Amino acid sequence: MARPGFGKRSAPGQAPRRADDFAHLPAREASVASHLDRLPEGAAMDVKTLAKELAAYGQQAIRTALQYLGRAGYLCRRREPVGEGRTQWVFRTYFSRTPRNEAWWKRFLKGDAPPERVDATPEPVTEPHPDPVPSSPATRSRAYKTLATLGRTGDRRLTLSASECAQLEPLVAEWFARGASEADVIRAVSSGLPSEVHCAGAFARRRLIDKIPPEPFHEPADLPGPAPAEKMECEACRVPGPPEAFVEGLCRPCRPPFLQPDVGDGGVDPAYAEEIHRRAAGIRKSLRPRRRDRGLQGPVF
């Protein structure tokens, strides 16, 4: 309960309570309105309290639903002084099970309460109409059938009406379009349920919106990279190199003189001659220590 002087205040002249009082409202707003209608006089109606009592919705969802109910004529908030010699101002919330138009609420807040009748109608609220209920079982889609069996395959507390199945059908169809299966939908909606589910349709809608899988995407195919350069090995020294560097399978240093490129005037390629001198010098250098070790050093004069 709210503090004395605060909380729910009922408007006069309401129609008797019926099961279909809020059936024409969207699922979330119908659930919140039904909960407010059952609250006793003076009960707290702030967003935080309602979010704790309605586990299927968060504070932002409750706030949006209250704003919708206010535009539809079920709620009216009025800024009033606290009274009792205090200078504080507070907002008081009035609830009417029977929707009222703006003119009725203005007269009521001025103290000029209209006669006790319930034929006042609220101003129209622009809202998309729910999808019609399929008239024939043959026209029911895969999404509709999944929702219709949710209370049997998932949890009995999630049993949905025909109208709720029709309203939630597009959401489940989007799940299927993103590659989900019937088991994925049932698992997402029915797993980890709270201790109480006040409105199965609103709860299922919230789960289907919050847990929808990401849209499928296709990664671009890897483009073929450049072909690896072809290489060969010298048959003599096994040094790799491009094919054009070999003649009869031999690299330039390993080719005999008659396979060396013609450099004109019967000469030898200077680079080849330099390589020959370098190798010869290396061979002579490696032989000198061996001659000393074998005692082949000449006489000393």
Side-chain angles (χ1 to χ4, degrees):
M1 296 293 291
R3 291 182 297 173
F6 297 85
K8 175 183 176 181
R9 294 190 175 190
S10 299
Q14 302 184 44
R17 183 175 297 158
R18 298 183 305 175
D20 59 345
D21 282 332
F22 311 105
H24 61 285
L25 297 177
R28 179 181 62 189
E29 284 69 18
S31 175
V32 175
S34 299
H35 181 74
L36 297 178
D37 190 29
R38 294 191 300 266
L39 291 177
E41 194 76 7
M45 291 180 57
D46 59 281
V47 172
K48 291 184 177 180
T49 301
L50 293 177
K52 292 179 181 178
E53 296 174 351
L54 298 173
Y57 307 109
Q59 295 185 21
Q60 183 59 43
I62 295 294
R63 184 177 292 106
T64 303
L66 293 178
Q67 293 173 355
Y68 179 94
L69 295 176
R71 295 192 301 269
Y74 293 94
L75 286 178
C76 180
R77 299 185 70 203
R78 178 185 180 184
R79 188 169 180 263
E80 300 177 353
V82 176
E84 301 179 358
R86 302 169 63 182
T87 58
Q88 297 177 338
W89 291 75
V90 295
F91 280 97
R92 304 193 190 280
T93 305
Y94 296 87
F95 176 80
S96 174
R97 185 184 313 112
T98 303
R100 309 290 190 175
N101 56 30
E102 186 176 359
W104 190 96
W105 282 112
K106 287 182 178 180
R107 293 178 59 188
F108 169 72
L109 296 177
K110 290 180 180 179
D112 183 15
E116 296 292 328
R117 55 192 180 92
V118 297
D119 55 350
T121 57
E123 294 183 349
V125 178
T126 303
E127 189 73 17
H129 296 286
D131 297 335
V133 179
S135 57
S136 173
T139 63
R140 291 173 182 171
S141 64
R142 175 188 175 198
Y144 185 94
K145 294 177 181 178
T146 303
L147 292 165
T149 59
L150 186 61
R152 297 194 298 269
T153 57
D155 191 295
R156 297 186 63 86
R157 293 175 293 173
L158 296 177
T159 301
L160 302 176
S161 65
S163 176
E164 291 171 331
C165 291
Q167 294 178 27
L168 299 177
E169 184 177 1
L171 287 175
V172 179
E174 179 62 24
W175 274 66
F176 291 155
R178 300 187 181 193
S181 63
E182 291 88 343
D184 295 331
V185 174
I186 295 173
R187 188 183 309 109
V189 177
S190 61
S191 61
L193 294 180
S195 57
E196 295 184 9
V197 178
H198 299 280
C199 182
F203 182 84
R205 176 186 294 273
R206 187 73 268 165
R207 284 288 182 93
L208 290 172
I209 293 176
D210 292 345
K211 295 191 175 185
I212 188 170
E215 296 182 1
F217 63 93
H218 303 283
E219 295 183 356
D222 295 335
L223 298 178
E230 184 180 359
K231 289 189 176 183
M232 295 179 58
E233 286 187 355
C234 177
E235 296 181 0
C237 64
R238 297 300 179 187
V239 174
E244 59 271 13
F246 297 91
V247 177
E248 297 186 5
L250 298 175
C251 64
R252 175 178 288 184
C254 297
R255 295 177 207 161
F258 63 88
L259 291 178
Q260 295 298 330
D262 185 9
V263 295
D265 299 332
V268 180
D269 186 5
Y272 176 73
E274 182 179 354
E275 179 65 19
I276 294 297
H277 289 302
R278 186 183 65 79
R279 292 195 177 192
I283 294 174
R284 287 194 296 268
K285 185 176 180 180
S286 63
L287 292 177
R288 287 174 184 171
R290 294 182 182 179
R291 294 181 61 186
R292 285 194 291 268
D293 294 342
R294 297 178 180 179
L296 298 178
Q297 186 175 4
V300 179
F301 297 96

